[in-house]
Amino acid sequence: MLSNKRKNQTRVNRIILALKNARIKDGISRYKLAQLTGLSNASITNIEELKQNPTLSTLIEMAIA
C-alpha cells in the first residue's frame, strides 16, 4: 500500500498533467503561460515534466491562466 505522501504526489502529478493537457488543447504555449502566471518558462517546463513540485498557489495560478 502506498504511503499518504506517495499518494498525494501521485494526485499532484495527475493535476499537473491535466493542466498541461488543457494548456495544449487551448493552444497556449509554455511561454505564454509563463507570462500569464509570472513564472519563468523554465519553471513551467520543470513543473510539466514533473521535475519540480509546485505550491498549491502556483497550481491555482496555472489553472486560472
Side-chain angles (χ1 to χ4, degrees), residues 14-56:
R14 286 183 190 162
I15 292 167
I16 292 168
L17 294 176
L19 289 172
K20 178 181 178 180
N21 288 334
R23 174 186 65 75
I24 292 168
K25 180 182 173 192
D26 290 345
I28 299 172
S29 68
R30 285 180 174 165
Y31 177 76
K32 182 64 176 176
L33 182 60
Q35 288 181 319
L36 293 170
T37 60
L39 297 169
S40 69
N41 193 46
S43 288
I44 298 292
T45 299
N46 287 334
I47 290 168
E48 288 188 347
E49 292 179 3
L50 307 177
K51 295 178 182 176
Q52 178 179 334
N53 278 328
T55 63
L56 178 58

Side-chain angles (χ1 to χ4, degrees), residues 3-16:
S3 68
N4 282 338
K5 185 174 181 179
R6 196 158 175 205
K7 284 181 187 177
N8 287 339
Q9 186 61 55
T10 300
R11 290 177 183 129
V12 169
N13 289 350
R14 286 183 190 162
I15 292 167
I16 292 168

